[in-house]
Amino acid sequence: MRIRTLLATAAAATLVLTGCGGKQVQEPAAGQATSCEAGDGRLTIATGNTGGVYYVLGGGLAQVISQNSKLRATAAETGASVQNIQQLVAGDYDIAFTLADTAADAVAGKDAFDGKPQSIQALSRIYPNSTHVVVKADSGINSVADMRGKRISTGSPKSGTEVIANRLLQTAGLDPAADVQAQRLSLSKSVDGMKSGTLDGLFWSGGLPTPEITDLTTTLGGAVKFVDVTPQLPELNKISDVYEQGTIPAATYGQAADVPTVQVPNLLVVRDDFPANNACAVTRLVFDKKPELEAVHPSAKLINRDDATKTDPVPMHPGAKQALGG
């Protein structure tokens, strides 16, 4: 709990809980970078739920940008991936955290994006999200298919968690709208529901460890368990090839054994008119100041240059390419 409090305090120092975006100086015009020196101005970063890693790491990134460039950055709590991209394109935010599957849908105009391709580009691939499926131990749920008729949180509306939760339900032969008692709740409310007994299970897509999941497993102990969703990976890959097999190590949440799971890479994205010099500067800071980000949250240890440009089908921003030597 002490670790969770410290992480939340670090994040809160740089977060603004408002959806209003800051406006940055548009110089030079978007295009090939002529330098990697950031201009003056303000940036807003769309993150995610307060109990998630986006929120914590986004606050750390805002601090790194503000302390090491002329830009002044703030990070905002949001519902996460889908909402982040929609509001990024609308001009409410300048940089957004997003899951790669949601970003792939966005550039293709699929599903939540209603046939309207979104004009976004990537600054970098960052750490992977692990899919957490946590249920009450006495719920009778041993697979996603067992969730029929159960009270399940599928995540905040317009979040990346909701996207993968619905896909996991569908690939298990369930209709999220009819076959489960779906609750579209934020992570903190999902955890509260598990504690109070109003939920049988929850989906969450986040970095390791996620503070709210730590709280849940610490508080309820053996009264909750994780569900292995990897048998559905082949069907998920028919939808998108961004899904990968991963593991939640036993020590992460004090479990008796490792939990096989499905991972999804995360991306930092911007609009395609984001100034190239700022794109270059911010991308360099992600890697040059990686130790500072790791101090904010251990998920940042999984950010690496070898994977940074693996953002397909989302195109890389020209300024980010310059920063990464591409």
Side-chain angles (χ1 to χ4, degrees):
M1 290 297 292
R2 183 171 181 271
I3 292 173
R4 176 171 172 256
T5 301
L6 289 172
L7 288 173
T9 301
T14 51
L15 291 167
V16 289
L17 305 182
T18 172
C20 297
K23 300 303 176 186
Q24 58 189 43
V25 176
Q26 299 291 310
E27 57 176 354
Q32 191 62 39
T34 56
S35 78
C36 272
E37 183 177 352
D40 294 318
R42 294 181 293 126
L43 292 178
T44 50
I45 304 171
T47 64
N49 289 183
T50 55
V53 177
Y54 281 4
Y55 179 86
V56 177
L57 195 57
L61 178 59
Q63 189 170 25
V64 161
I65 292 169
S66 297
Q67 292 178 346
N68 296 280
S69 75
K70 295 178 183 179
L71 295 167
R72 293 298 170 260
T74 52
E77 176 193 358
T78 70
S81 295
V82 176
Q83 176 190 335
N84 285 1
I85 291 176
Q86 290 173 335
Q87 293 189 307
L88 174 76
V89 173
D92 296 329
Y93 302 111
D94 302 301
I95 300 173
F97 283 74
T98 180
L99 283 162
D101 56 348
T102 301
D105 288 349
V107 296
K110 287 174 52 180
D111 294 344
F113 299 96
D114 298 325
K116 300 173 183 176
Q118 306 295 298
S119 298
I120 61 170
Q121 295 180 341
L123 296 184
S124 181
R125 173 169 166 164
I126 45 176
Y127 67 94
N129 265 17
S130 292
T131 305
H132 301 60
V133 181
V134 187
V135 301
K136 299 297 283 290
D138 61 0
S139 64
I141 301 172
N142 297 303
S143 67
V144 176
D146 292 335
M147 290 182 172
R148 185 180 297 275
K150 303 294 187 178
R151 303 164 299 174
I152 304 296
S153 174
T154 55
S156 298
K158 298 187 177 183
S159 66
T161 294
E162 186 176 54
V163 171
I164 193 166
N166 286 341
R167 287 177 175 174
L168 282 167
L169 289 165
Q170 289 161 356
T171 56
L174 301 178
D175 180 347
D179 294 331
V180 299
Q181 298 181 51
Q183 307 293 312
R184 303 172 75 196
L185 302 175
S186 68
L187 179 58
S188 61
K189 290 182 179 178
S190 299
V191 169
D192 288 344
M194 292 287 285
K195 290 178 180 179
S196 67
T198 60
L199 287 176
D200 298 306
L202 65 80
F203 289 90
W204 168 249
S205 181
L208 300 177
T210 292
E212 289 283 2
I213 302 296
T214 300
D215 177 32
L216 176 62
T217 55
T218 300
T219 302
L220 295 186
V224 294
K225 65 181 182 181
F226 287 80
V227 174
D228 177 3
V229 296
T230 55
Q232 292 171 237
L233 185 56
E235 290 301 313
L236 286 174
N237 284 145
K238 292 178 182 179
I239 300 170
S240 176
D241 60 8
V242 303
Y243 298 112
E244 304 167 347
Q245 180 150 345
T247 300
I248 300 175
T252 307
Y253 300 113
Q255 301 302 296
D258 293 349
V259 180
T261 192
V262 172
Q263 289 186 334
V264 189
N266 285 298
L267 307 179
L268 285 178
V269 298
V270 295
R271 293 183 301 278
D272 59 8
D273 64 353
F274 190 77
N277 61 319
N278 287 348
C280 189
V282 170
T283 305
R284 277 193 175 173
L285 285 173
V286 168
F287 293 94
D288 290 349
K289 301 299 179 180
K290 187 168 170 277
E292 283 89 332
L293 296 178
E294 291 174 6
V296 172
H297 196 279
S299 283
K301 294 177 181 178
L302 300 177
I303 300 173
N304 67 83
R305 285 183 180 270
D306 290 342
D307 290 335
T309 60
K310 297 176 182 178
T311 65
D312 287 341
V314 182
M316 289 285 294
H317 190 290
K321 285 184 179 179
Q322 177 169 320
L324 295 167

PDB file of all heavy atoms in Angstrom, residues 6 13 15 19 38 91 99 103 136 154 180 245 259 315 320:
ATOM      1  N   LEU A   6       2.958   6.087  -2.856  1.00  0.00           N
ATOM      2  CA  LEU A   6       4.069   6.861  -3.414  1.00  0.00           C
ATOM      3  C   LEU A   6       3.913   7.060  -4.910  1.00  0.00           C
ATOM      4  O   LEU A   6       4.163   8.148  -5.436  1.00  0.00           O
ATOM      5  CB  LEU A   6       5.394   6.150  -3.114  1.00  0.00           C
ATOM      6  CG  LEU A   6       5.845   6.171  -1.654  1.00  0.00           C
ATOM      7  CD1 LEU A   6       7.051   5.267  -1.463  1.00  0.00           C
ATOM      8  CD2 LEU A   6       6.158   7.592  -1.220  1.00  0.00           C
ATOM      9  N   ALA A  13       1.414  14.894  -8.822  1.00  0.00           N
ATOM     10  CA  ALA A  13       2.158  16.136  -8.884  1.00  0.00           C
ATOM     11  C   ALA A  13       2.145  16.751 -10.261  1.00  0.00           C
ATOM     12  O   ALA A  13       2.342  17.953 -10.420  1.00  0.00           O
ATOM     13  CB  ALA A  13       3.611  15.907  -8.449  1.00  0.00           C
ATOM     14  N   LEU A  15      -0.351  15.870 -12.742  1.00  0.00           N
ATOM     15  CA  LEU A  15      -1.590  15.584 -13.463  1.00  0.00           C
ATOM     16  C   LEU A  15      -2.606  16.682 -13.282  1.00  0.00           C
ATOM     17  O   LEU A  15      -2.719  17.268 -12.222  1.00  0.00           O
ATOM     18  CB  LEU A  15      -2.189  14.256 -12.987  1.00  0.00           C
ATOM     19  CG  LEU A  15      -1.374  13.029 -13.379  1.00  0.00           C
ATOM     20  CD1 LEU A  15      -1.864  11.818 -12.616  1.00  0.00           C
ATOM     21  CD2 LEU A  15      -1.480  12.799 -14.858  1.00  0.00           C
ATOM     22  N   GLY A  19     -10.228  17.729 -19.115  1.00  0.00           N
ATOM     23  CA  GLY A  19     -10.070  17.317 -20.494  1.00  0.00           C
ATOM     24  C   GLY A  19      -9.643  18.439 -21.398  1.00  0.00           C
ATOM     25  O   GLY A  19      -9.607  18.275 -22.610  1.00  0.00           O
ATOM     26  N   ALA A  38      12.979  21.400 -28.928  1.00  0.00           N
ATOM     27  CA  ALA A  38      11.556  21.698 -28.771  1.00  0.00           C
ATOM     28  C   ALA A  38      11.321  23.201 -28.747  1.00  0.00           C
ATOM     29  O   ALA A  38      12.152  23.976 -28.256  1.00  0.00           O
ATOM     30  CB  ALA A  38      11.041  21.085 -27.475  1.00  0.00           C
ATOM     31  N   GLY A  91      -8.319  17.688 -31.035  1.00  0.00           N
ATOM     32  CA  GLY A  91      -7.507  18.820 -30.604  1.00  0.00           C
ATOM     33  C   GLY A  91      -7.508  19.070 -29.112  1.00  0.00           C
ATOM     34  O   GLY A  91      -6.938  20.059 -28.639  1.00  0.00           O
ATOM     35  N   LEU A  99      -3.409   1.700 -26.596  1.00  0.00           N
ATOM     36  CA  LEU A  99      -3.070   0.329 -26.949  1.00  0.00           C
ATOM     37  C   LEU A  99      -2.939   0.208 -28.461  1.00  0.00           C
ATOM     38  O   LEU A  99      -3.653   0.884 -29.214  1.00  0.00           O
ATOM     39  CB  LEU A  99      -4.146  -0.625 -26.435  1.00  0.00           C
ATOM     40  CG  LEU A  99      -4.076  -0.917 -24.933  1.00  0.00           C
ATOM     41  CD1 LEU A  99      -5.396  -1.480 -24.440  1.00  0.00           C
ATOM     42  CD2 LEU A  99      -2.946  -1.887 -24.635  1.00  0.00           C
ATOM     43  N   ALA A 103      -5.195   1.644 -31.679  1.00  0.00           N
ATOM     44  CA  ALA A 103      -4.568   2.533 -32.664  1.00  0.00           C
ATOM     45  C   ALA A 103      -4.681   1.953 -34.064  1.00  0.00           C
ATOM     46  O   ALA A 103      -4.911   2.693 -35.037  1.00  0.00           O
ATOM     47  CB  ALA A 103      -3.100   2.752 -32.302  1.00  0.00           C
ATOM     48  N   LYS A 136     -13.799 -13.719  -8.771  1.00  0.00           N
ATOM     49  CA  LYS A 136     -13.951 -14.259  -7.424  1.00  0.00           C
ATOM     50  C   LYS A 136     -13.660 -15.760  -7.481  1.00  0.00           C
ATOM     51  O   LYS A 136     -14.117 -16.464  -8.390  1.00  0.00           O
ATOM     52  CB  LYS A 136     -15.360 -14.009  -6.890  1.00  0.00           C
ATOM     53  CG  LYS A 136     -15.739 -12.550  -6.787  1.00  0.00           C
ATOM     54  CD  LYS A 136     -14.864 -11.778  -5.807  1.00  0.00           C
ATOM     55  CE  LYS A 136     -15.228 -12.026  -4.356  1.00  0.00           C
ATOM     56  NZ  LYS A 136     -16.527 -11.438  -3.982  1.00  0.00           N
ATOM     57  N   THR A 154     -16.270  -4.729 -17.828  1.00  0.00           N
ATOM     58  CA  THR A 154     -15.509  -4.771 -19.081  1.00  0.00           C
ATOM     59  C   THR A 154     -14.670  -3.510 -19.283  1.00  0.00           C
ATOM     60  O   THR A 154     -14.129  -3.291 -20.357  1.00  0.00           O
ATOM     61  CB  THR A 154     -16.458  -4.960 -20.276  1.00  0.00           C
ATOM     62  OG1 THR A 154     -17.465  -3.932 -20.252  1.00  0.00           O
ATOM     63  CG2 THR A 154     -17.139  -6.327 -20.217  1.00  0.00           C
ATOM     64  N   VAL A 180     -23.597 -11.624 -20.797  1.00  0.00           N
ATOM     65  CA  VAL A 180     -23.042 -11.329 -19.473  1.00  0.00           C
ATOM     66  C   VAL A 180     -23.728 -10.078 -18.933  1.00  0.00           C
ATOM     67  O   VAL A 180     -24.284  -9.287 -19.700  1.00  0.00           O
ATOM     68  CB  VAL A 180     -21.507 -11.103 -19.511  1.00  0.00           C
ATOM     69  CG1 VAL A 180     -20.787 -12.337 -19.995  1.00  0.00           C
ATOM     70  CG2 VAL A 180     -21.144  -9.895 -20.365  1.00  0.00           C
ATOM     71  N   GLN A 245       1.470 -13.501 -26.841  1.00  0.00           N
ATOM     72  CA  GLN A 245       1.421 -14.246 -25.589  1.00  0.00           C
ATOM     73  C   GLN A 245       2.418 -13.640 -24.607  1.00  0.00           C
ATOM     74  O   GLN A 245       3.520 -13.229 -24.980  1.00  0.00           O
ATOM     75  CB  GLN A 245       1.752 -15.719 -25.800  1.00  0.00           C
ATOM     76  CG  GLN A 245       1.703 -16.518 -24.492  1.00  0.00           C
ATOM     77  CD  GLN A 245       1.304 -17.967 -24.687  1.00  0.00           C
ATOM     78  OE1 GLN A 245       0.799 -18.347 -25.733  1.00  0.00           O
ATOM     79  NE2 GLN A 245       1.509 -18.768 -23.656  1.00  0.00           N
ATOM     80  N   VAL A 259       0.939 -16.480 -14.391  1.00  0.00           N
ATOM     81  CA  VAL A 259      -0.334 -16.517 -15.110  1.00  0.00           C
ATOM     82  C   VAL A 259      -0.069 -16.241 -16.592  1.00  0.00           C
ATOM     83  O   VAL A 259       0.363 -15.140 -16.943  1.00  0.00           O
ATOM     84  CB  VAL A 259      -1.316 -15.457 -14.569  1.00  0.00           C
ATOM     85  CG1 VAL A 259      -2.639 -15.521 -15.341  1.00  0.00           C
ATOM     86  CG2 VAL A 259      -1.559 -15.659 -13.081  1.00  0.00           C
ATOM     87  N   PRO A 315       1.630   4.719 -38.753  1.00  0.00           N
ATOM     88  CA  PRO A 315       2.888   5.262 -39.280  1.00  0.00           C
ATOM     89  C   PRO A 315       3.659   6.034 -38.221  1.00  0.00           C
ATOM     90  O   PRO A 315       3.070   6.638 -37.325  1.00  0.00           O
ATOM     91  CB  PRO A 315       2.428   6.191 -40.414  1.00  0.00           C
ATOM     92  CG  PRO A 315       1.028   6.583 -40.051  1.00  0.00           C
ATOM     93  CD  PRO A 315       0.443   5.385 -39.346  1.00  0.00           C
ATOM     94  N   ALA A 320       9.858  11.659 -34.988  1.00  0.00           N
ATOM     95  CA  ALA A 320      10.201  10.504 -34.158  1.00  0.00           C
ATOM     96  C   ALA A 320      11.205   9.619 -34.861  1.00  0.00           C
ATOM     97  O   ALA A 320      12.125   9.078 -34.252  1.00  0.00           O
ATOM     98  CB  ALA A 320       8.934   9.727 -33.810  1.00  0.00           C
TER      99      ALA A 320
END
